[in-house]
Amino acid sequence: MKSMKKEIRIKNHLDELERVNRFVEEIGEELGLDMELQMNLNLVMEEMVVNVISYAYPEGKEADIELLAESDGKELTFVLSDRGKEFDPTMNETDDTDMDVNPAERDLGGMGIYIVKNIMNEVTYQRLEGKNLLTMKKAI
């Protein structure tokens, strides 16, 4: 398997999700990932990017969000970074999200970390030099 490194920088607007999707698709194609994994990764990135767009910056403030993807052929690592307010999505929820609630009735982003932890092998958060860094790893 070959190694790969790609980066995308987006604005904190929901219409940028299309670019995130395309970014994940390109990675999937380059690494030859199966469709299901690609869809799952798409879901993960969408949830986490929406999280940053929704919470990191004050209403109306324009800012950049960076998404870095790196693979050594065995593992795919995504690092999502922003300079918004400190926000650790891994601490945000208990893992025993109430599964009886109809998903349609949940808040957007409410399922986020639960889905992400289910799909990814490892999810870690750091606050470094004024940046939020969310690292998500998946064995491929």
Side-chain angles (χ1 to χ4, degrees), residues 20-136:
V20 174
N21 287 348
R22 218 166 33 239
F23 179 69
V24 174
E25 264 165 41
E26 283 169 17
I27 291 164
E29 279 167 24
E30 200 167 313
L31 294 175
L33 304 180
D34 67 55
M35 212 49 224
E36 189 190 358
L37 177 54
Q38 214 166 302
M39 282 167 63
N40 281 340
L41 290 173
N42 231 335
L43 183 66
V44 165
M45 295 313 134
E46 214 164 87
E47 279 285 344
M48 292 297 97
V49 169
V50 166
N51 244 347
V52 173
I53 292 170
S54 310
Y55 301 117
Y57 297 101
E59 192 76 29
K61 179 171 167 42
E62 173 110 343
D64 286 337
I65 299 166
E66 285 164 27
L67 182 59
L68 171 74
E70 208 169 349
S71 174
D72 58 4
K74 295 187 206 49
E75 193 173 50
L76 177 55
T77 303
F78 286 95
V79 182
L80 182 63
S81 64
D82 66 85
R83 293 188 172 278
K85 65 171 192 259
E86 187 161 348
F87 176 70
D88 181 354
T90 63
M91 294 299 294
N92 191 25
E93 290 166 58
T94 48
D95 280 326
D96 53 356
T97 303
D98 183 1
M99 294 319 272
D100 299 336
V101 180
N102 174 347
E105 293 168 13
R106 275 185 224 281
D107 294 343
L108 180 67
M111 280 304 284
I113 201 68
Y114 184 83
I115 291 173
V116 174
K117 282 179 173 172
N118 267 347
I119 293 172
M120 305 305 274
N121 298 106
E122 192 188 321
V123 182
T124 49
Y125 168 84
Q126 285 174 294
R127 179 80 180 179
L128 218 58
E129 293 166 8
K131 284 170 102 166
N132 293 310
L133 297 176
L134 186 68
T135 304
M136 299 159 278

Side-chain angles (χ1 to χ4, degrees), residues 6-22:
K6 276 184 187 303
E7 202 169 345
I8 185 176
R9 179 178 295 216
I10 60 166
K11 293 282 171 215
N12 56 334
H13 299 302
L14 289 173
D15 54 11
E16 291 278 68
L17 285 174
E18 201 179 308
R19 289 184 57 213
V20 174
N21 287 348
R22 218 166 33 239

